[in-house]
Amino acid sequence: MSENGRKTSRKSGLPPGALIHVGSKKVDHVKVSVIDYNEDIYSEKICEQPSDCFEFKDSETVSWINIDGLHDTEVIAKIGNHFDLHSLTIEDVLNTNHRPKIEEFQNHIFITLKMLGISKNKTGIVHEQVSFILGKNWIISFQEQEGDIFDSIRMRLKERKGIIRDKGADYLFYRLIDTVVDNYFYVTDYISDVSEKLEEKILISPTQESLREIQKLKKQLINLRKITNPLREVVSTIEKDANDLIEESTGPYFRDVYEHIIQINDTIETQRDMASSIMDLYLTGVSNKMNEVMKLLTIIATIFIPLTFIAGIYGMNFEHMPELHWKYGYHIAWGIMILITLIMVIYFKKKKWL
Amino acid sequence: MSENGRKTSRKSGLPPGALIHVGSKKVDHVKVSVIDYNEDIYSEKICEQPSDCFEFKDSETVSWINIDGLHDTEVIAKIGNHFDLHSLTIEDVLNTNHRPKIEEFQNHIFITLKMLGISKNKTGIVHEQVSFILGKNWIISFQEQEGDIFDSIRMRLKERKGIIRDKGADYLFYRLIDTVVDNYFYVTDYISDVSEKLEEKILISPTQESLREIQKLKKQLINLRKITNPLREVVSTIEKDANDLIEESTGPYFRDVYEHIIQINDTIETQRDMASSIMDLYLTGVSNKMNEVMKLLTIIATIFIPLTFIAGIYGMNFEHMPELHWKYGYHIAWGIMILITLIMVIYFKKKKWL
Amino acid sequence: MSENGRKTSRKSGLPPGALIHVGSKKVDHVKVSVIDYNEDIYSEKICEQPSDCFEFKDSETVSWINIDGLHDTEVIAKIGNHFDLHSLTIEDVLNTNHRPKIEEFQNHIFITLKMLGISKNKTGIVHEQVSFILGKNWIISFQEQEGDIFDSIRMRLKERKGIIRDKGADYLFYRLIDTVVDNYFYVTDYISDVSEKLEEKILISPTQESLREIQKLKKQLINLRKITNPLREVVSTIEKDANDLIEESTGPYFRDVYEHIIQINDTIETQRDMASSIMDLYLTGVSNKMNEVMKLLTIIATIFIPLTFIAGIYGMNFEHMPELHWKYGYHIAWGIMILITLIMVIYFKKKKWL
Amino acid sequence: MSENGRKTSRKSGLPPGALIHVGSKKVDHVKVSVIDYNEDIYSEKICEQPSDCFEFKDSETVSWINIDGLHDTEVIAKIGNHFDLHSLTIEDVLNTNHRPKIEEFQNHIFITLKMLGISKNKTGIVHEQVSFILGKNWIISFQEQEGDIFDSIRMRLKERKGIIRDKGADYLFYRLIDTVVDNYFYVTDYISDVSEKLEEKILISPTQESLREIQKLKKQLINLRKITNPLREVVSTIEKDANDLIEESTGPYFRDVYEHIIQINDTIETQRDMASSIMDLYLTGVSNKMNEVMKLLTIIATIFIPLTFIAGIYGMNFEHMPELHWKYGYHIAWGIMILITLIMVIYFKKKKWL
Amino acid sequence: MSENGRKTSRKSGLPPGALIHVGSKKVDHVKVSVIDYNEDIYSEKICEQPSDCFEFKDSETVSWINIDGLHDTEVIAKIGNHFDLHSLTIEDVLNTNHRPKIEEFQNHIFITLKMLGISKNKTGIVHEQVSFILGKNWIISFQEQEGDIFDSIRMRLKERKGIIRDKGADYLFYRLIDTVVDNYFYVTDYISDVSEKLEEKILISPTQESLREIQKLKKQLINLRKITNPLREVVSTIEKDANDLIEESTGPYFRDVYEHIIQINDTIETQRDMASSIMDLYLTGVSNKMNEVMKLLTIIATIFIPLTFIAGIYGMNFEHMPELHWKYGYHIAWGIMILITLIMVIYFKKKKWL
């Protein structure tokens, strides 16, 4: 998974159908695996050749073809051609910098979105592009690398838990998207935690380091929003456009996913407000620290400058300075200086600077 | 009631129908009570078993089934199944971190929202999730714990005050929602009070403490908005979508609730403006305080630094310094110093720094 | 008229029809007066009893029933019942904290809005709620207290000036709303004046007092917006919804009112921009003042600190200090000090600090 | 032309048809002139009496009646009555503080907008209200004073240049509006120039004067936006609403005007962004200047305060101070002081403060 | 290519059809070249006279007429007339300051947009206006100067790569627009790079220079947005409005272009957020630097001012100062001064100022 997907190096000038994998190569070998099931039967298969999965296109059973690794464009192209995918769809699958989108065709629905996770050292958010194509009785999923968050679905399919085996490909489609979206909550929780700790830290003491952390938090939120915001429209499109591929009874489930996305977007917006608020706190903290410094300077300076002046007076070398000859002159000078100090201290106390 | 509902721990990967109570357990025992009435009869009943309330589903009379406590998912599931609730509805009832929403089904309307209140020590806002399901002649309400704000409705039902006993379940549905929404006004009044006091306090003297209070106020407003903003759409949906379950004559009442929600949202937006405004005040106050400090420093320093310089001059040990031998040298030096002081004071008076 | 209408104390838990006057009692006695007219006849009447005005409901002539004072809920209720007003309408009339709204019923249109004015000492904006109900051939107006801005309408009715006597109740309805809205221009002019003076004042010298005035201005604008913003939709609703009660030829007049409201809202938005702009000016002014203070300190300190150092050098008591014994040592010291001062002054001149 | 059109003194309480000229009187005499033309004939005429232009209402030729001066309401009223204008239209013509608007009637279209220009001393933007009424074969234009920007149109009409003589009144209507809108580009160019110069000036040195200029720029932009923003809807209305008075072939021309207005509004928004950006620059410049002041103070003070302390030490009068009696004590003291100075200078160099 | 296209010098008062080239002359000679092809044939031709390309209007083959240079309005006008272009279209082609727009006519679609690139010294963004007109079987493209980004399309046409030769003029139209839009990604990548480097630089040390760079970045983003934002609507219009000139099968391709534009606009918005964020960083950095300066001043001053006072005390010339005569007076004085210094240092350590 990449921590930064900013660059959008497009293959300018090339035709739309030119299949080039945009992104870094992440696995050695493209792995194609199939899970095929209906109410009664269940089978798993790993395809050595892309063509090994062609049979599942027209089978009566529901087939989930999962492809890990996107760098071998030839494999992808072969599968794409067999399953009648539009050339632009295949291009979008291969471009891992694409924003989430949905494309509805005559015989399939194409969706691309991002799986999100926390990096292993817990310091950042990682994301991986995943694309789903829903056809009649089959789903093809494309992932950048092996290892995903769908194991619980596989387990439930295998062990026939719940209603998943009784339902069609559209329900599996929902379950896959729902799993991806549910995982976003971990990320928003993580962000909330980070932001809360940061706030607490800054309220105690704002440091240069916290500035970097605020900056990082802001960027994460901006990137997150770019990932989750378009999803709203994507899922809303599935839900609203009545479609041959999606049964009416699956509709409420997509509405549920939609609600979750709204909630995630809400949280992200809230966190953005929080981040500005934390920046304000930081600035105020810095400014308060400066005030403290200025106060100390002012207290020391306003007490000692007049005293030093008095000492300076009686350090003058005029021949005729009567006070110098007084017996208690020195003590009187001290007295005056102590008096001035007291007055100053009382003044500062009154001003609540001490 | 919980003061903080930020965490949205979802049961990722589990199927949508998996009934798990998300939230802290707040009562020991799930309590199911029924109020059953029509124009003529009225009865109250506490159900030992969930099944004790099943009879009310098809009765001619209006039945209000109230369930306090959400942790016993089995009880909820039993009731849900009997009343033909969608599995996602039951899931939403159990997830107390859900944002307010409405879901319309063939035979029931599901609404979930938050009851708001002021915490007992008057320092914060507490909220509790409440869900209402309106069916043909029955309403089921789910609350997180015992004790609510509906006692006046119960009393009016019992004593047959007003028109409530003459109307159907949809009118009761309205009255329940209206009561929840009306209670929000206490919270917005509370927020207005807090913000007004804070402003007054900061205009007098901005302290580090006030910064924390502004921060808290802002957070409360952000959270409030998350609760009240979606409500607009919820009530608007009830009002607009003509529905078999809601009689036309009840429409204007929901429009009235809608107006109140608009007003609450308005107030929250206004308070958000106010909060920014108070933050500005705080910053300005801090900056003004700093100016005062700087002014004092400048006054003291600009008066005494030149004087000290003069004293320094006549503290020099040159052999040939004629002034030192003048008879009134010392007095002239004092004279010059007093003159400088006077000029400075006049200058500061003119600049209005004194 | 109340200067502050923030509190929205609702009678939570009570049924919608419960008639309670929300707001302070402003007149001793509820006064009901009727103006009845058509092209030919004109009569005025003050009703001792509410029932005295019942006859005007079904008369052929146009009747304007004006009610001053809202605290006697019984009187209001009686009239409401006779004129077939919805219970929620009467509730809204009595709640003087309501935001402007329109409600269309089968046989009447209900509108509630605020009359605005400048307080007598010219320091604030006062407002009073006024509600109009337009029926077939009659209008009922509810005001919080006696004395209003409609005297010119009454005069024109009485003296048969213009076309008002030739037109129906819908034209009177327009004239009443138009008069209220036109009065808003006085308030926006007042606000513009205040803001302009404030800006001028702050450009000259920003004081702590100006901060309070900016804060007040901002609040006034926020409150104004809450009053005028919903009006847009209110008048637009009258204009658009073709209605039995409003003749087509009156439409352009309401469109004219609509334009005025847009203009008022525009002005308020502009003034909000201005208020932020003035706040910026204030902050910049404060910051400039501080710079001036710092500059003075720096000039004095950087000139005298080196001089004092030189004086300090020759105040040392080393036995072997050749300069002390030079004949012109003292004069050379002075020379050096004057030189340093000159260099400093030239430097400051170049930096434009002097 | 007035430089400030803020005040919106309305004639509150008066009926809508009461004709009162709101604005300052700008010409002595209302001047009514007519240009009458078709493909073949062309004539100009100055009407002594309003009634002199009545004949052009029903003539077959296209007539452009131009009225300079709005203070003689009687003249305006006579013309208005003859041409069947709605009383509200005439009122809007006379109120020179009106925002741009369009009003479509059965037999005429009314448009009011502002001509913009740069004041003669190039320091501000001036505006004058102009209203156009398009009827069947005639256009009436109302201007506040003589002298306008339509001379090139008159010339082209007279000399039969281009297609204008071949087209109807709707095309003339377009050309008039287009000329007004095209003139706005001069104003946006002027604003862009001012803002660019201001930015350059502030990047060099931010002065109190620049603050006033930013403030003025902001106000100009706010006022401009109030003038150009409503125009979008105005022209869009002409373009969209198919109308008997406007031929279909003229549609694309109005679409072109619409595009220009969009572009003008875009530029104004951009300039508003720029203005905030310049304000930021100003604030940063002021803050940078202050930092420079502080740095100088710090450098001088941190170098000389320790030196003065050392001088102070050896200015003490203790009997037993061995250093005072050293032969090279004085030179050693100087050595130490020079050393301290060097260390400081190196430190400041490293910190890049020197 | 011009780096600044702000000025919008319009030819005010002239009629819409007056052909005047607005913009600087960029090539000596207008060059008209034609590529003509279908599945089987391919030919290139450079037209000496505008009329040389007239034959391609009604040919069966697809013809791409490219015109480099806009200053010779006569040539443009001739071509425009022959191809039945609306006079406003030709005006828009010639005005190189136009914002991107689409205009649909009976027999042709007109689009104008900007090609973007990085200037050769890599310090700015350059743009050139390009207009496309799609007719039946022909496309006319207008560019400001020779040399463009379409060479790969020409090569593919010539060498018959891909499907481009099998498709009609609408597909070529798509490919041209797509190539322009794809090039924008280079610019957004460039902007992202610049902004990232700037952020890094400012986090290390904020200089006056960085302020200029932020300002430049902001302006570039504002200008970019003006170019890319209207494009959204332009492409969306092509995609949505079913049109005789665009085959249904080309629709998805335009949808793909639309997605790219959305992504570009997203990136620009993100970069605008980043730019504000960088400005915040700059301000904070400046403020932190100032704090450091103040801290140093305070540390030096608060340590040495009291010490200098003590030295001043014992520099007084009172006759009766017992300490002066103590044997270890001098050493005690030093002791006290060292003690004070230690206390101060510990205090500063505790405050984390050292």
Side-chain angles (χ1 to χ4, degrees), chain D residues 19 46 48 106-107 149 167 169 204 236 254 260 271 287 301 327 348:
Chain D
L19 296 183
I46 290 180
E48 294 299 312
Q106 201 68 30
N107 56 348
I149 55 180
K167 298 260 183 171
I204 293 164
S236 152
F254 280 108
H260 294 157
Q271 287 304 324
S287 155
K327 198 177 177 191
F348 291 138

Side-chain angles (χ1 to χ4, degrees), chain C residues 44-217:
Chain C
E44 279 179 46
K45 177 177 173 184
I46 289 181
C47 307
E48 295 298 313
Q49 294 299 322
S51 55
D52 291 357
C53 68
F54 287 179
E55 58 179 302
F56 296 102
K57 189 188 169 193
D58 300 311
S59 72
E60 285 293 295
T61 51
V62 179
S63 312
W64 171 19
I65 302 160
N66 183 50
I67 292 144
D68 291 324
L70 301 176
H71 58 279
D72 191 342
T73 55
E74 210 174 311
V75 173
I76 312 291
K78 269 188 198 158
I79 295 173
N81 288 337
H82 180 76
F83 284 87
D84 283 338
L85 307 183
H86 197 279
S87 59
L88 288 169
T89 297
I90 301 176
E91 197 193 334
D92 288 338
V93 163
L94 294 173
N95 179 357
T96 58
N97 297 322
H98 216 289
R99 70 201 286 273
K101 75 168 215 176
I102 186 169
E103 202 74 58
E104 289 172 302
F105 297 96
Q106 201 69 30
N107 56 348
H108 63 275
I109 298 174
F110 167 67
I111 242 180
T112 183
L113 30 68
K114 307 281 179 200
M115 287 194 281
L116 292 178
I118 316 298
S119 69
K120 268 175 196 153
N121 54 5
K122 305 246 169 192
T123 59
I125 296 164
V126 291
H127 58 81
E128 181 188 338
Q129 178 154 312
V130 60
S131 309
F132 299 114
I133 297 162
L134 170 67
K136 179 98 195 120
N137 283 334
W138 48 264
I139 285 176
I140 309 178
S141 59
F142 294 93
Q143 302 183 46
E144 289 184 56
Q145 55 188 14
E146 275 189 79
D148 57 33
I149 55 181
F150 304 126
D151 284 337
S152 79
I153 296 178
R154 288 196 189 86
M155 186 268 291
R156 296 185 77 85
L157 277 173
K158 195 170 184 178
E159 303 185 3
R160 237 209 117 160
K161 273 200 182 161
I163 56 173
I164 191 164
R165 285 270 293 275
D166 311 331
K167 298 261 183 172
D170 57 338
Y171 187 81
L172 178 60
F173 189 55
Y174 148 68
R175 287 301 302 279
L176 290 168
I177 294 168
D178 188 48
T179 304
V180 171
V181 169
D182 276 6
N183 235 39
Y184 290 2
F185 283 107
Y186 290 124
V187 173
T188 55
D189 279 3
Y190 167 77
I191 289 278
S192 302
D193 274 354
V194 165
S195 124
E196 214 152 82
K197 276 178 200 153
L198 198 52
E199 189 190 337
E200 215 40 60
K201 213 163 112 187
I202 285 170
L203 269 172
I204 294 163
S205 164
T207 65
Q208 184 75 15
E209 184 53 29
S210 7
L211 186 60
R212 275 183 188 268
E213 283 174 46
I214 297 171
Q215 195 65 4
K216 190 180 161 198
L217 181 64

Side-chain angles (χ1 to χ4, degrees), chain D residues 91-131:
Chain D
E91 196 194 335
D92 288 340
V93 164
L94 292 173
N95 180 356
T96 59
N97 297 323
H98 216 289
R99 69 200 288 272
K101 75 167 212 176
I102 186 169
E103 202 73 59
E104 289 172 302
F105 296 96
Q106 201 68 30
N107 56 348
H108 62 275
I109 298 173
F110 168 67
I111 244 181
T112 184
L113 31 68
K114 307 281 179 201
M115 287 193 282
L116 292 178
I118 316 299
S119 69
K120 269 176 195 150
N121 55 4
K122 305 246 167 191
T123 60
I125 296 164
V126 291
H127 57 80
E128 182 188 337
Q129 178 154 311
V130 60
S131 309

